Amino acid sequence: MNDDLVLRIDGTRPLTADAVAAVGAVCDSAEDRGGRSRVVVRVSGAPEGPRPDGLTVALVSKWERALRRLERLPAATVAVAEGGCGGLALDAFLATDYRIATPSVRLMVPVEAGVTWPGMALYRLAHKGAGTAAIRRAVLFGTPLEADQALALHLIDELTDDVAGALAAAEPAGGPTGFELAIRRQLLFDAGTASFEDALGVHLAACDRVLRRASAAAAS
């Protein structure tokens, strides 16, 4: 789409305030447009060598909060990954609604001083398949996830050489947008941990909003 908002994340780059600001800026734009524009997150690259000095937990916290904002946007988010994908690129890739990758992709949890980086990418990987051997190896030992493995584990939704065609096909058609899309995404997030009784009230409230909107539209 011509009105897509595009965010580019280079996984070879260290975490900086500029990276946090870039995520914040695209979130600002998506919110300003009321969810009418899709956000396309293009990621590639993985850290090379040791992490530069100067990284603080405060900056990591700002980055994780920026990604959480991206993950909860009132807009559809689609990621495109190519080649090695680690560090900031893996973080952003896992925080999107729909994930497209080329066959060259390898999802890589960075390893430093013999241990994997314990950021929220580990949390998202675990939520999608903590019981699988491939994800355990990735989280504990930094073993890369090859494209076919990531597809089988549903970390990738579509594996293709035709990225343009996949992006065109991934355009939402007739589904919820804006605030309503964000609500349904949150219902999905919560379903894995909430009991039926705890979830029922939230789902009924969402149903009530839909019925009220339908009634208002019919009366106008």
Side-chain angles (χ1 to χ4, degrees), residues 3-218:
D3 61 348
D4 281 345
L5 296 167
V6 179
L7 172 65
R8 299 183 185 277
I9 301 291
D10 182 351
T12 67
R13 307 284 296 176
L15 176 58
T16 63
D18 287 344
V20 176
V23 176
V26 80
C27 290
D28 286 342
S29 296
E31 290 167 355
D32 289 345
R33 298 184 186 186
R36 292 183 297 274
S37 295
R38 182 177 62 170
V39 177
V40 176
V41 184
R42 291 188 171 269
V43 302
S44 63
E48 300 170 351
R51 187 181 300 275
D53 294 335
L55 182 64
T56 65
V57 171
L59 182 57
V60 174
S61 177
K62 290 178 181 178
W63 170 248
E64 299 292 5
R65 290 177 185 278
L67 290 179
R68 185 57 169 162
R69 186 180 172 197
L70 176 70
E71 194 171 39
R72 302 176 77 174
L73 275 180
T77 56
V78 180
V80 176
E82 299 181 72
C85 179
L88 304 186
L90 179 63
D91 289 345
F93 183 71
L94 293 175
T96 56
D97 294 323
Y98 192 79
R99 294 177 288 275
I100 299 167
T102 65
S104 66
V105 83
R106 302 177 86 213
L107 304 186
M108 307 162 71
V109 178
V111 176
E112 297 182 26
V115 295
T116 53
W117 177 248
M120 291 300 285
L122 269 61
Y123 173 88
R124 293 184 174 95
L125 285 169
H127 259 252
K128 298 177 190 306
T132 63
I135 287 183
R136 285 201 309 274
R137 289 194 298 270
V139 168
L140 298 177
F141 311 126
T143 306
L145 289 161
E146 303 296 339
D148 57 343
Q149 290 178 304
L151 182 66
L153 293 167
H154 307 293
L155 301 173
I156 293 171
D157 293 294
E158 186 170 355
L159 199 60
T160 181
D161 285 314
D162 182 11
V163 170
L167 278 173
E171 179 60 29
T177 59
F179 180 65
E180 292 296 332
L181 182 146
I183 288 173
R184 281 146 186 79
R185 184 193 293 121
Q186 191 60 48
L187 293 175
L188 281 171
F189 287 161
D190 294 344
T193 56
S195 69
F196 177 88
E197 289 74 15
D198 290 339
L200 180 59
V202 182
H203 282 261
L204 289 176
C207 292
D208 183 59
R209 279 190 298 273
V210 173
L211 293 173
R212 288 176 183 273
R213 288 179 59 193
S215 296

